[in-house]
Amino acid sequence: MSDFKLNIRDDMMDFLDEDSNDSAKKTWKIAVIDDDESVHDATKLALRNSTFKGNGLEFVSAYSAVEGFELLKSNPDCAVTLLDVVMETPTAGLDLVERIRSELNMHNIQIILRTGQPGYAPEEEVIEKYEINDYKTKNELTHSKLFASIASAIRAYSHLIALEESKEGLRNVIDAASNLIKERSIHEFANGVLRQISALFSISTQGIFCVSQNPGRGLQEMISKEGNSYTVVATSSKYAYLYGKALDQIKDEREIDIVMQAILDKSSHFEDHHTAIYLSTPACWEGVIVLDGRFELNDVQKELLQVFCQNVSLGLENAKFFSHLNRAAYFDNLTGLYSRSGFIFNVGTYYRHCKQNASLFIVDIDYFHDIIEGLGYEFGNRVLVAVATALTQSFSEYDMVARLHSDVFAILVSDNRRSLKEIGKILSKPIYVDGSSYRLGFTIGASEIDAGEELFDGESLLRQAEIALKIAKEQTRGAGMKFSSKFEEHNRKRLNLLGDVRHGLVSSEFFLNIQPKVSMNTGDVVGYEALLRWRHPEKGLISPGEFIPIAEKSGLSFDLDLHVFRLVLQFLRDYPDVAKPISINVSANSLHQADFIDGIKEILNEIPTDINKLQLEITENTLIRSDAAIRHLTELREFGFTICLDDFGAGYCSLGYLLKLPVDVIKIDRAFVRNITADVESLHVLKGMLAICMELKKEVVVEGVETLDQVKLLTDLGVEIAQGFYYFVPLLPSELVEKAL
């Protein structure tokens, strides 16, 4: 049986009852509007005893345009009107057509103009303007010709009416669909479908509608096919006693037998007394519509019903998954513990049971990614379930355990019952996965709040514990850290510094230092590197090591990079005699921004510069993130920039990846130069790197050259260009110009 309650309303059962016992045949109403009475008689005579689609013809008459307007006004169900063109006036018929369409708003009625003037016919634009459906002369009053026109007109009229009724039924479905998230609207939706079927196929009969799988439980039920019962979700009044019941609860009903047969055969069944229309959807829903009597469907009708069933299935699926999603919002699907949202939503309830205080512990499994990489995600999931089980068993019902995300758990305990050390001891116990025991490492962040605080904030408590966890992972991995107000002060300083960076960009507090690159053979300057510096109005010079990481984490590096680019172009504009190329560093975030290239081009348009004077330096770590970086580099290179790979060897690029990079210059990181005069292994590594670069025919720049011994050794190794304090410290642009470097 379904998990939802059914509220039956009488008006929901009556929609198929109208005229259910009416055996009278329908007639097609024809309006004859003509000032010649003999035309009326001739028309009725020519069409006497005629039928179309099993229904007879009914005639109503008017003898002028004025009478015709009133006639149609009082007979809005007229299917066709035979209308004389010339009556009171030469254009009386056409004038009436315009009033029919505009004033009476009768757009379905088919209008056949007739005239007694052979050879006269209205212009095409008149026919189009007045929506005239046919034109005949009065001498075409033979049975065959007149019937052909009438039959064609009635056919068009019936199609328009069916379409209009279908739209009305569809509106019912759409209106119900807007509330499908509510259980009660499931039945309104299904009733709308039955109404639509009735309108589309002009039937008036009793019926029921059944679908597979009750809306209640979640996705796993769909996958496992458990609880795959069929429920009656809409009926006419005759079958009201079946409404809301599962088919396996209904006995000795011929209608149910035909439903089950259709489901078993997965096809429609047409019997003398019942029709069962089988429908299925890509979402694995099955539906059966049962109608009294035999009801044949053509291919188009079957296709329409298929679409209807898909709408119903989607609506029922929405309701079915509502409770599932409601649970998913607050509970972790893997472990069954509270999720992060569930923790925040319910933590207040647990807090109210505290008498002294509440302690929150955030637990992170150390190096869990290594478990995933080594043993796979499935094993990792079993580890998480085992940890969740161990935590649940170690704490009481008055404690709260949640899985916040990935391998991070939260434990809320009250009244100093557990200390940080005790939590660590509990976590040090082995867990059991697939019958084997494992000992895991954990890092813990803790926060605490006194009981009785009026403004309890679960999110704030959680944030404090997460801050403590972050610092513990950085400083004391494998142990624990309790939150301190100084942690928030540190974060506050970082945020303040971020605000200062934003202000500094606007206030032009950032400036350039330029460090020359030198030919090791001649000692001449062969190029430069632009370095960004910041002079804070109150704090003085701030190291790039402080503000660059903050800018990268906050997304401000994009603005900083474009700012540096602009400063370099302004420097070259102000000092046109500087002819050697200057390189500009580009951060990882900027290179992965789609509009970074457009930003560079925009500045170039604003400050025209010889692009041969510009080089872009990209760190190796930048490139490893995605192939999009390579595409952007290729575009920049094709635009004319020289591309330098900075810090080569210090990042994560494989040699194979290096072959894909569109770089012209490779800069070897200072870490490989620092010990080459004292460490033979460092020297061997450097030799290998130089050999690779030279074989790839890349220009090489060695960074961090600080001593004469390094210079001599690098010169012997064939290095041509170096950069470092041995030659030049970073200089202000004015100093560079003064020294004519």
Side-chain angles (χ1 to χ4, degrees):
M1 186 63 183
S2 70
D3 296 331
F4 59 91
K5 296 180 179 179
L6 302 175
N7 298 314
I8 302 177
R9 302 202 317 262
D10 292 339
D11 59 311
M12 293 172 61
M13 304 302 169
D14 297 335
F15 62 90
L16 285 177
D17 292 347
E18 297 179 6
D19 301 326
S20 59
N21 298 316
D22 186 3
S23 61
K25 289 186 177 181
K26 178 181 177 180
T27 60
W28 303 106
K29 189 175 290 187
I30 313 296
V32 181
I33 304 173
D34 199 298
D35 58 359
D36 187 346
E37 187 172 355
S38 64
V39 172
H40 291 259
D41 296 336
T43 300
K44 295 175 183 177
L45 180 63
L47 296 175
R48 69 184 185 281
N49 301 324
S50 295
T51 61
F52 183 75
K53 290 188 175 181
N55 298 322
L57 306 182
E58 175 186 352
F59 294 93
V60 292
S61 297
Y63 297 91
S64 69
V66 175
E67 290 181 11
F69 180 83
E70 296 300 327
L71 175 71
L72 294 177
K73 184 177 180 180
S74 59
N75 291 273
D77 56 339
C78 280
V80 183
T81 179
L82 298 168
L83 178 58
D84 191 8
V85 175
V86 180
M87 289 182 285
E88 303 98 306
T89 66
T91 61
L94 293 178
D95 295 339
L96 178 56
V97 171
E98 183 175 13
R99 296 189 69 192
I100 292 171
R101 299 304 192 198
S102 61
E103 295 182 38
L104 296 180
N105 201 28
M106 296 174 68
H107 293 283
N108 294 332
I109 188 172
Q110 302 297 291
I111 299 175
I112 301 176
L113 286 183
R114 296 199 296 183
T115 181
Q117 303 177 21
Y120 171 80
E123 299 292 337
E124 291 182 3
E125 57 267 23
V126 174
I127 293 176
E128 181 177 354
K129 175 182 178 182
Y130 293 106
E131 300 180 56
I132 297 169
N133 306 106
D134 202 355
Y135 176 81
K136 298 293 181 184
T137 59
K138 292 184 179 180
N139 59 6
E140 296 180 276
L141 293 177
T142 62
H143 171 78
S144 58
K145 291 183 178 180
L146 192 54
F147 180 78
S149 296
I150 293 294
S152 176
I154 292 175
R155 185 178 292 107
Y157 171 80
S158 61
H159 287 169
L160 289 173
I161 292 299
L163 180 61
E164 190 172 276
E165 292 176 344
S166 174
K167 288 180 179 178
E168 179 61 28
L170 188 58
R171 277 193 291 271
N172 292 333
V173 174
I174 293 173
D175 290 342
S178 64
N179 292 318
L180 277 175
I181 199 67
K182 302 174 183 177
E183 289 180 349
R184 61 182 176 81
S185 65
I186 297 170
H187 322 302
E188 295 174 9
F189 193 96
N191 275 280
V193 172
L194 286 178
R195 289 191 185 95
Q196 192 172 3
I197 293 171
S198 177
L200 273 175
F201 307 111
S202 302
I203 61 172
S204 181
T205 183
Q206 300 282 348
I208 61 177
F209 190 105
C210 307
V211 294
S212 66
Q213 298 179 307
N214 299 333
R217 292 176 290 277
L219 182 61
Q220 294 302 318
E221 178 190 276
M222 289 285 290
I223 296 173
S224 66
K225 302 299 182 184
E226 295 177 0
N228 191 22
S229 61
Y230 293 76
T231 304
V232 179
V233 294
T235 72
S236 60
S237 58
K238 176 181 177 180
Y239 297 105
Y241 63 96
L242 300 177
Y243 185 61
K245 293 184 178 180
L247 297 192
D248 55 13
Q249 296 178 322
I250 304 172
K251 307 297 182 182
D252 301 325
E253 295 284 350
R254 177 56 189 149
E255 294 81 1
I256 304 306
D257 291 341
I258 192 174
V259 168
M260 299 308 298
Q261 192 62 46
I263 293 171
L264 182 64
D265 296 342
K266 298 191 180 303
S267 64
S268 299
H269 278 247
F270 301 92
E271 299 183 351
D272 291 338
H273 301 292
H274 296 97
T275 295
I277 304 167
Y278 173 82
L279 305 110
S280 63
T281 74
C284 301
W285 283 82
E286 297 173 295
V288 180
I289 300 171
V290 179
L291 301 172
D292 284 354
R294 188 175 183 85
F295 182 43
E296 299 288 354
L297 296 174
N298 58 36
D299 291 340
V300 174
Q301 293 168 333
K302 289 178 181 178
E303 185 175 349
L304 284 173
L305 286 175
Q306 181 77 4
V307 173
F308 301 156
C309 185
Q310 289 173 357
N311 283 330
V312 174
S313 298
L314 292 174
L316 290 172
E317 283 174 347
N318 284 342
K320 177 185 179 64
F321 292 139
F322 177 77
S323 59
H324 170 69
L325 293 176
N326 190 46
R327 176 176 175 80
Y330 297 112
F331 291 88
D332 174 50
N333 187 53
L334 177 66
T335 63
L337 300 176
Y338 284 119
S339 63
R340 183 184 186 89
S341 298
F343 175 86
I344 293 172
F345 185 78
N346 292 283
V347 67
T349 302
Y350 286 82
Y351 170 74
R352 284 191 287 272
H353 293 293
C354 299
K355 297 178 181 178
Q356 299 178 25
N357 69 350
S359 299
L360 176 62
F361 303 93
I362 305 295
V363 177
D364 179 88
I365 302 175
D366 290 335
Y367 307 109
F368 183 71
H369 62 276
D370 290 340
I371 297 176
I372 297 295
E373 291 178 2
L375 300 173
Y377 282 98
E378 290 299 325
F379 184 82
N381 284 341
R382 292 197 289 274
V383 169
L384 293 174
V385 171
V387 170
T389 301
L391 290 176
T392 303
Q393 292 174 348
S394 300
F395 297 92
S396 72
E397 60 180 324
Y398 300 106
D399 301 320
M400 186 179 187
V401 181
R403 181 189 175 207
L404 301 181
H405 60 85
S406 186
D407 60 329
V408 179
F409 296 82
I411 309 162
L412 182 76
V413 297
S414 60
D415 303 330
N416 293 317
R417 290 186 297 105
R418 304 284 187 179
S419 66
L420 189 59
K421 184 177 181 180
E422 287 177 301
I423 297 296
K425 187 175 181 179
I426 291 172
L427 294 172
S428 67
K429 296 178 181 178
I431 63 168
Y432 292 88
V433 181
D434 298 336
S436 300
S437 65
Y438 298 87
R439 290 185 181 272
L440 303 176
F442 294 88
T443 302
I444 309 169
S447 60
E448 188 175 292
I449 188 172
D450 292 333
E453 285 201 16
E454 295 182 4
L455 298 176
F456 171 73
D457 186 350
E459 292 189 61
S460 177
L461 185 67
L462 185 60
R463 184 180 65 254
Q464 290 176 356
E466 287 177 325
I467 291 173
L469 175 64
K470 180 178 181 295
I471 295 177
K473 290 174 70 174
E474 293 173 351
Q475 300 179 5
T476 60
R477 180 177 284 274
M481 183 78 70
K482 188 175 181 180
F483 175 80
S484 169
S485 58
K486 67 180 182 181
F487 297 160
E488 270 190 329
E489 180 62 26
H490 176 70
N491 276 351
R492 190 176 298 110
K493 288 181 179 179
R494 288 171 60 89
L495 289 175
N496 290 338
L497 187 60
L498 177 60
D500 288 345
V501 171
R502 296 181 187 275
H503 182 268
L505 278 170
V506 177
S507 304
S508 301
E509 297 171 8
F510 290 91
F511 61 95
L512 289 181
N513 270 182
I514 298 177
Q515 187 175 30
K517 302 174 187 176
V518 178
S519 169
M520 300 191 73
N521 295 324
T522 66
D524 296 332
V525 173
V526 295
Y528 315 96
E529 179 180 1
L531 303 169
L532 186 64
R533 297 292 183 260
W534 181 19
R535 182 177 288 105
H536 193 280
E538 298 174 0
K539 303 172 184 176
L541 285 174
I542 297 179
S543 167
E546 290 186 55
F547 68 83
I548 292 295
I550 292 176
E552 289 182 343
K553 290 180 180 179
S554 64
L556 268 180
S557 54
F558 178 87
D559 300 281
L560 285 178
D561 286 351
L562 289 182
H563 184 67
V564 173
F565 193 79
R566 182 182 296 277
L567 290 177
V568 169
L569 265 59
Q570 289 172 346
F571 166 69
L572 292 174
R573 178 192 61 193
D574 295 340
Y575 300 99
D577 292 338
V578 175
K580 302 177 183 70
I582 182 168
S583 61
I584 305 165
N585 288 284
V586 176
S587 70
N589 290 337
S590 296
L591 192 62
H592 289 80
Q593 294 293 326
D595 53 351
F596 177 67
I597 295 176
D598 291 335
I600 284 180
K601 292 179 179 179
E602 183 178 337
I603 297 174
L604 278 169
N605 289 332
E606 181 184 336
I607 311 174
T609 305
D610 182 0
I611 205 167
N612 291 318
K613 293 184 177 182
L614 301 173
Q615 297 181 347
L616 299 180
E617 289 196 11
I618 315 297
T619 62
E620 186 180 335
N621 289 349
T622 299
L623 298 171
I624 198 65
R625 290 178 57 190
S626 75
D627 289 338
I630 298 179
R631 291 196 302 271
H632 292 162
L633 277 184
T634 301
E635 184 176 347
L636 288 167
R637 192 186 191 198
E638 291 173 351
F639 189 67
F641 287 103
T642 297
I643 306 298
C644 306
L645 178 61
D646 196 14
D647 299 334
F648 177 61
Y652 308 106
C653 286
S654 67
L655 295 178
Y657 193 74
L658 179 61
L659 297 175
K660 300 167 57 179
L661 303 180
V663 298
D664 307 289
V665 180
I666 294 178
K667 299 184 72 175
I668 294 179
D669 188 70
R670 66 184 67 248
F672 298 97
V673 178
R674 185 178 301 117
N675 299 318
I676 58 172
T677 59
D679 185 357
V680 176
E681 292 183 352
S682 296
L683 181 59
H684 289 328
V685 171
L686 179 61
K687 286 181 179 179
M689 295 173 69
L690 289 172
I692 291 173
C693 296
M694 291 175 183
E695 287 294 328
L696 292 175
K697 294 181 173 55
K698 305 294 184 182
E699 181 180 310
V700 176
V701 178
V702 176
E703 296 182 294
V705 180
E706 299 180 354
T707 68
L708 179 60
D709 290 339
Q710 291 172 343
V711 171
K712 291 179 180 179
L713 186 51
L714 290 170
T715 302
D716 292 341
L717 292 175
V719 176
E720 296 182 355
I721 303 174
Q723 182 180 341
F725 288 174
Y726 177 81
Y727 294 103
F728 294 100
V729 297
L731 304 170
L732 291 171
S734 58
E735 295 175 325
L736 187 76
V737 173
E738 286 175 7
K739 296 182 182 217
L741 298 174

